[in-house]
Amino acid sequence: MLQGVLTFILITICVASSFSKPGDYSLTEESRLYTKISDVELATAQGRFRLSEVYGQSPVMIAFIFTRCSGICSPFLLRLNENIKALSSKINFRVLVVSFDSADSLADMVALAQRYGLTANSQWLFATTRQINELNTSVGFHPVWDSTKRQYDHEALLVGVNENGYIVKKLTGIREPRDLLVMIKEINNDFVLSYPLPRKNMLFSCFTYNPATGEKKASLGLVVLLLPALITLLLLFWFSLKKQEANRAS
Amino acid sequence: MKAHEFVLALFLVSAIAIAGLFYYFFLSSRQAADGGGVSNPTKKRFFFFTALAVVMIILLLVTIPKSPYFLFTGENPSKVVYVAAKQYSFTLSSSAIDPQNPVSTEAIELPAGQPVEFRVTSLDVNHGFGIYNERAELVTQTQAMPGYVNRLRWEFTEPGTYNILCLEFCGAAHSFMRTTFTVK
Amino acid sequence: MTTLSLKKITSAWIITILALFVLAIAFGITMRFNQGANINLDPAKFYSLLTTHGVTMIGIWAVAGMVAVNYLLARYVPVSTSLNVFAFILTVVGVVMLWVTTFIGHFHAAWTFLYPLPFYVAWEKWATPVFLLGLGVLGIGWFVWAVGMMLQILKKYSLRHTFAWQHLTTKHDVAVETPPFILITTVSLIGIIVCLLAAVVLLVLFFAEYFSSGSFVNDPLLMKNLTYFFGHTLANESLYLGLATLYELMPEVSGRPKFKTTWYVALGWNCTMVFVLTAFFHHLYMDFVQPVGFQMIGQLASYFASLPAAAVTAFSVMVLVFKNPIKWSLTNILFFLGVVGWLIGGVGALIDSTVSNNIFLHNTLWVPAHFHTYNAMGNVLFSLAFFNWAANEFVGNQNETKSYSLKIVLLLIGGFGFVLMFYFAGAYSVPRRYSVYPQEFTSAALLASAGAWFACIYLVVILWMFFDIVKKCFKVFSPSY
């Protein structure tokens, strides 16, 4: 009996721990938050704008890439595009893809948009800017030119800017849709009271946050929390059923 | 009247009222004869219940919107302060804190009259993050729970030195765990 | 039926509980004197005392309610003395284990042992598992006992009748009347069973991590929820057990007709049963990671759990007493004062359970202020009333001639003086669970000393009653009884 219980607990632990995995988190994500982004001039296929004209219309997520990139930029944009396609269309935001390589021309960026089939998509904007250093500094982005590889050494960076031009959230690396959703909520000035930090295998977490609905979704931990009341209820009903049977028999 | 004093006054008045009422009930029983008692108790109970329910619903409607979860939500804080609590000290920094190497970078100075945000976590056990003003009054607080970052937004109206005290029992030196920041 | 063996085990319980109570009060007074800078304890020693005081008090008053209910339940259904004895033995073993960990092992993670504090060992290494095991031993004893009582009730009353649902549908002339005592006992026992199961889950998770040697960790949020699900609910249900005793005994000793179950009594207690299980969310108001919906449920449940309590129980006690000739004795005076203490503590609790107040009251001395009010001046008085009644019952004389007014006056001065010092300090933001107070809290130490002196007066009365009651309880064990 005891052996059975112990085996059951061990199996539950193994199964439960396989569900939780550490998330991505980088300290650089926390820099320059709540500061205003530099209002640089952008060159796009639709004409020249100031950045403030873009975020002034709707909150914006800015992806930093360069077209010659042989590393993370392609998968980064690909995943971003896929993740955004999967979102509900009602969410208010735009995506600005900006090149941080002064060698990139507007034609290169237009070609990039075509490659991803986003030329006609008004939610997406592809741009170059002459003031890239200013923009980089204002978001805390520091790509380093590697002259032997003839590539920039850089991280995949997505910066969330609200309608007032404040940087409210940054994401580094290729991220899951749920991280993207937190950013969308934040750039729309929805305050998320708390966020989890990555950690070791965690057993029975209470909630996973679902920013699409703004709610925390119950996970296994909540079932654990309900267990005591459920067991008591079952105990009560089981006993009263048994009693009814006994009454009928007599 | 300040909130602290208001709740104390509210409590004392209610306590004295309850004690007075029950003393009156007690006295009434001393000279009573059979056949006394409350007339039509069910009706009175119904009124009592309804009145109490109405008062409670009003209190709920008034107080719930004042919950900390709904404060300063649509605003842009002018500054973020990162807080990492660890037995028995607080690390305060204006940039994100590396859990492996928590260091307070500089003395924290916050602007008065503008919302600021604290991002509070713990690197070991549960701690509390209570902000006290110069008169040793608790202004606001949140908990520091390992594995989570709680975001506390507040707008300080008075300049001065503020103390942070641990408000969740965290071990033997709990009452000595503290730090300060200034508001200008 | 009340058998001699039931009297004997009840006597043993009363003597043990009162002895532990006296010691735990003494620990409390020591702590208050330390906070008042009258004595100077090592912080670790202070927190060992805090842990012992908390775990002992919460334990003895939960179990005191069960002892009373078990004794009175014998009037309605057959009760098992062996389960009672089993629970007694496990309680003694559990308490010894807990005290060994705190006094010899220097364990000091407080009675709430909030995860992951017990794993940050600042005491003897063995103390953590032994403390958790000690709690487990207590839990098993009480769980088996509570389930046993519950099953005995369900053997006689159907599920519908135990919860008095028949009183909800038909206002007049129900075929089977559920005595209020049975209804409230059922509601409380179910709460006890639920919170003990929460403790079991909590302990299993603790031990799972303990033996996993670091391969996984628990979710601190889940562990905190479980801790207060267990702790808060246990404290509340202890009070309700005390109220069950009040419903059964107070009219009887007052020479008044018994309380009847009516539709509002049935409705009130059924609502309480549900509300009380979610009220514990108010312990996590300052954990912003908890979803806001839960926080709102916490405040709603805390408010509405108090509504039936006030409108049903307090109002019924008022109706019982108001302008009715009452045979006042120590027993029903204690019940009556217990209601007053419970209500006053309830007001303090309601104020604290309002989120917008909680932001400046949470974990200040306001918290011990309100729970000491409804425990020391509420639940304890309900149980003392029962103890006094039972002791008189054992010697076969309910007509006490001795004057009790001095006892009552001292009890009121000591008890309310003691808690009032907590309220003042709490309103002025003094943190709870501080071994000494930082200098900026200028009056905190003075309030602590004053509180300690008031508690000394309270202790004198308790000792006085202890000797009166225990003397009578010992008679049950004499061969000539």
Side-chain angles (χ1 to χ4, degrees):
Chain A
M1 170 72 188
L2 186 69
Q3 225 174 358
V5 172
L6 284 176
T7 321
F8 171 77
I9 291 172
L10 272 177
I11 291 173
T12 317
I13 289 167
C14 296
V15 172
S17 30
S18 64
F19 281 124
S20 53
K21 69 170 209 261
D24 301 292
Y25 178 78
S26 158
L27 291 177
T28 56
E29 282 181 11
E30 305 274 8
S31 70
R32 307 286 306 158
L33 288 184
Y34 303 127
T35 56
K36 216 156 180 172
I37 194 163
S38 179
D39 187 15
V40 296
E41 197 187 39
L42 303 168
T44 72
Q46 289 80 11
R48 289 187 168 272
F49 309 106
R50 303 219 56 104
L51 183 53
S52 55
E53 291 171 67
V54 181
Y55 63 66
Q57 282 174 11
S58 61
V60 59
M61 291 198 279
I62 307 174
F64 287 77
I65 54 99
F66 71 113
T67 57
R68 289 181 288 167
C69 182
S70 59
I72 198 168
C73 289
S74 289
F76 172 50
L77 270 186
L78 200 71
R79 270 298 284 280
L80 188 64
N81 188 19
E82 278 172 7
N83 288 342
I84 288 173
K85 264 192 218 156
L87 295 178
S88 135
S89 56
K90 273 181 281 175
I91 305 175
N92 174 36
F93 71 96
R94 286 178 92 185
V95 187
L96 170 66
V97 182
V98 69
S99 164
F100 60 84
D101 184 357
S102 50
D104 273 331
S105 67
L106 182 57
D108 291 329
M109 291 305 281
V110 171
L112 184 70
Q114 263 168 358
R115 229 188 299 153
Y116 286 95
L118 292 165
T119 324
N121 190 334
S122 64
Q123 198 177 16
W124 288 71
L125 211 58
F126 287 76
T128 57
T129 174
R130 279 191 218 133
Q131 298 160 279
I132 190 64
N133 288 340
E134 207 180 304
L135 187 63
N136 282 349
T137 313
S138 76
V139 300
F141 182 52
H142 310 288
V144 179
W145 177 252
D146 184 335
S147 51
T148 48
K149 280 196 240 161
R150 305 196 55 76
Q151 285 282 316
Y152 278 102
D153 192 2
H154 72 106
E155 56 190 357
L157 176 69
L158 197 63
V159 176
V161 176
N162 70 9
E163 283 183 333
N164 302 321
Y166 285 95
I167 301 164
V168 290
K169 179 96 186 152
K170 285 162 71 177
L171 293 174
T172 54
I174 296 172
R175 300 294 280 266
E176 294 185 17
R178 61 185 186 132
D179 295 325
L180 214 61
L181 283 161
V182 174
M183 174 178 277
I184 294 166
K185 223 171 147 58
E186 289 270 322
I187 59 179
N188 280 289
N189 286 334
D190 269 334
F191 183 47
V192 183
L193 276 161
S194 177
Y195 54 92
L197 293 174
R199 67 207 115 156
K200 289 199 290 180
N201 286 338
M202 201 167 71
L203 197 61
F204 308 128
S205 183
C206 281
F207 306 102
T208 40
Y209 180 69
N210 180 359
T213 54
E215 278 155 17
K216 284 173 187 158
K217 224 175 70 192
S219 21
L220 214 54
L222 213 63
V223 181
V224 175
L225 197 58
L226 283 174
L227 219 56
L230 284 178
I231 295 173
T232 312
L233 262 180
L234 285 177
L235 211 75
L236 274 175
F237 283 117
W238 171 73
F239 191 79
S240 64
L241 273 180
K242 242 186 72 178
K243 200 185 125 189
Q244 272 177 9
E245 270 168 33
N247 282 354
R248 242 178 270 141
S250 66
Chain B
M1 202 184 328
K2 272 181 302 193
H4 301 75
E5 283 155 3
F6 176 75
V7 296
L8 183 62
L10 179 70
F11 169 75
L12 289 177
V13 169
S14 314
I16 291 167
I18 291 169
L21 263 175
F22 275 78
Y23 187 58
Y24 169 63
F25 300 151
F26 171 73
L27 285 183
S28 79
S29 76
R30 309 249 297 187
Q31 300 107 26
D34 268 325
V38 184
S39 60
N40 216 342
T42 313
K43 205 171 153 189
K44 287 204 174 75
R45 187 193 301 264
F46 180 74
F47 280 124
F48 176 64
F49 175 82
T50 314
L52 211 62
V54 169
V55 168
M56 282 196 176
I57 289 167
I58 292 173
L59 280 176
L60 280 170
L61 292 176
V62 171
T63 60
I64 282 187
K66 292 182 181 166
S67 302
Y69 326 115
F70 311 126
L71 294 177
F72 312 106
T73 51
E75 296 182 44
N76 285 305
S78 63
K79 200 157 181 184
V80 196
V81 179
Y82 295 85
V83 182
K86 197 176 179 182
Q87 279 175 336
Y88 298 99
S89 65
F90 290 100
T91 302
L92 256 61
S93 173
S94 50
S95 55
I97 296 165
D98 180 1
Q100 308 307 322
N101 180 31
V103 271
S104 300
T105 42
E106 71 282 350
I108 297 290
E109 226 172 67
L110 298 174
Q114 291 170 27
V116 291
E117 181 176 311
F118 297 92
R119 295 193 171 190
V120 184
T121 191
S122 165
L123 302 178
D124 46 23
V125 300
N126 282 283
H127 297 276
F129 178 76
I131 302 177
Y132 282 80
N133 66 16
E134 286 182 339
R135 293 184 300 280
E137 291 161 344
L138 183 52
V139 181
T140 187
Q141 65 169 313
T142 188
Q143 288 266 309
M145 185 180 267
Y148 296 96
V149 176
N150 285 334
R151 297 167 70 185
L152 171 69
R153 287 186 175 181
W154 195 256
E155 190 179 303
F156 295 95
T157 46
E158 294 174 28
T161 306
Y162 286 76
N163 287 315
I164 292 165
L165 299 187
C166 183
L167 282 186
E168 184 68 61
F169 174 61
C170 61
H174 168 54
S175 38
F176 305 102
M177 183 168 163
R178 60 189 297 154
T179 187
T180 62
F181 65 88
T182 50
V183 171
K184 277 194 174 160
Chain C
M1 224 195 57
T2 315
T3 56
L4 177 62
S5 53
L6 181 60
K7 283 185 182 173
K8 275 187 178 163
I9 184 66
T10 306
S11 294
W13 274 116
I14 293 175
I15 296 163
T16 316
I17 288 170
L18 283 177
L20 287 173
F21 185 40
V22 167
L23 290 172
I25 296 176
F27 301 154
I29 291 174
T30 313
M31 286 191 286
R32 279 308 256 165
F33 274 131
N34 192 67
Q35 291 171 327
N38 306 81
I39 55 170
N40 185 14
L41 288 176
D42 173 65
K45 218 163 243 149
F46 176 92
Y47 290 115
S48 286
L49 279 182
L50 180 90
T51 309
T52 321
H53 174 85
V55 77
T56 306
M57 288 296 198
I58 196 81
I60 59 175
W61 296 113
V63 92
M66 288 176 68
V67 171
V69 156
N70 185 102
Y71 188 85
L72 296 169
L73 198 58
R75 293 173 165 192
Y76 299 93
V77 297
V79 291
S80 156
T81 312
S82 39
L83 274 187
N84 198 334
V85 174
F86 171 74
F88 181 76
I89 294 168
L90 259 59
T91 303
V92 172
V93 172
V95 168
V96 169
M97 285 171 79
L98 294 171
W99 282 39
V100 163
T101 63
T102 55
F103 285 117
I104 300 173
H106 310 294
F107 182 81
H108 58 262
W111 84 269
T112 43
F113 57 101
L114 197 56
Y115 174 86
L117 189 54
F119 291 147
Y120 284 76
V121 176
W123 39 79
E124 299 292 336
K125 236 179 159 176
W126 53 264
T128 295
V130 175
F131 183 86
L132 297 174
L133 264 178
L135 286 176
V137 169
L138 287 181
I140 289 166
W142 301 349
F143 180 77
V144 172
W145 192 18
V147 169
M149 281 198 256
M150 195 65 243
L151 295 187
Q152 289 299 344
I153 295 174
L154 284 173
K155 269 187 193 158
K156 181 164 172 188
Y157 300 91
S158 69
L159 208 55
R160 190 176 132 83
H161 289 157
T162 8
F163 290 111
W165 289 338
Q166 79 276 24
H167 291 276
L168 295 176
T169 44
T170 41
K171 277 192 186 174
H172 308 288
D173 301 328
V174 281
V176 183
E177 204 207 310
T178 309
F181 175 76
I182 293 294
L183 168 66
I184 304 167
T185 302
T186 305
V187 164
S188 316
L189 286 178
I190 285 177
I192 296 258
I193 292 169
V194 173
C195 72
L196 289 178
L197 282 171
V200 169
V201 175
L202 181 66
L203 291 177
V204 165
L205 290 178
F206 257 109
F207 276 114
E209 183 173 336
Y210 187 79
F211 289 118
S212 82
S213 57
S215 63
F216 77 89
V217 291
N218 280 295
D219 178 3
L221 179 64
L222 173 64
M223 297 299 266
K224 197 168 187 179
N225 271 294
L226 281 170
T227 300
Y228 289 109
F229 189 6
F230 148 68
H232 178 86
T233 312
L234 186 67
N236 259 264
E237 302 296 349
S238 316
L239 245 161
Y240 296 153
L241 287 172
L243 288 176
T245 319
L246 178 147
Y247 269 81
E248 180 69 13
L249 288 181
M250 192 173 172
E252 187 179 310
V253 292
S254 304
R256 302 293 308 163
K258 280 197 148 206
F259 282 129
K260 275 206 163 79
T261 302
T262 52
W263 65 269
Y264 49 79
V265 172
L267 184 67
W269 280 99
N270 275 280
C271 288
T272 301
M273 177 170 67
V274 178
F275 286 135
V276 81
L277 291 181
T278 49
F280 78 89
F281 285 137
H282 63 219
H283 285 268
L284 284 100
Y285 282 159
M286 292 303 121
D287 289 280
F288 295 171
V289 54
Q290 184 95 323
V292 174
F294 279 28
Q295 313 284 30
M296 299 297 104
I297 292 174
Q299 185 168 341
L300 278 170
S302 308
Y303 272 52
F304 289 125
S306 65
L307 225 139
V312 176
T313 306
F315 200 88
S316 296
V317 170
M318 189 277 281
V319 171
L320 177 86
V321 171
F322 190 61
K323 289 192 177 165
N324 279 323
I326 299 285
K327 261 173 45 194
W328 287 108
S329 65
L330 184 59
T331 302
N332 55 6
I333 267 285
L334 285 172
F335 276 130
F336 187 72
L337 289 176
V339 172
V340 179
W342 170 50
L343 287 177
I344 293 176
V347 173
L350 266 183
I351 289 175
D352 191 26
S353 73
T354 308
V355 186
S356 52
N357 293 335
N358 192 259
I359 194 142
F360 58 86
L361 293 178
H362 182 73
N363 281 352
T364 67
L365 284 177
W366 191 274
V367 183
H370 85 262
F371 72 65
H372 276 102
T373 317
Y374 65 64
N375 283 324
M377 294 308 285
N379 193 21
V380 167
L381 303 197
F382 295 151
S383 288
L384 282 178
F386 168 76
F387 291 173
N388 189 60
W389 174 85
N392 289 339
E393 194 76 356
F394 297 157
V395 295
N397 178 18
Q398 283 296 351
N399 297 317
E400 284 181 87
T401 45
K402 270 199 270 179
S403 163
Y404 50 79
S405 28
L406 182 63
K407 272 184 199 160
I408 294 299
V409 169
L410 289 178
L411 187 75
L412 289 176
I413 294 173
F416 281 114
F418 160 65
V419 293
L420 207 56
M421 299 305 115
F422 274 142
Y423 280 108
F424 283 132
Y428 287 97
S429 306
V430 180
R432 75 186 283 209
R433 290 178 165 173
Y434 268 31
S435 55
V436 287
Y437 294 119
Q439 278 182 337
E440 66 253 42
F441 300 105
T442 42
S443 46
L446 200 69
L447 288 171
S449 300
W453 285 116
F454 278 118
C456 287
I457 303 175
Y458 182 84
L459 179 60
V460 168
V461 187
I462 296 299
L463 275 171
W464 194 350
M465 288 195 201
F466 172 79
F467 288 121
D468 283 351
I469 292 170
V470 166
K471 215 165 49 193
K472 291 175 189 164
C473 285
F474 269 118
K475 294 218 169 108
V476 179
F477 296 100
S478 81
S480 59
Y481 185 73

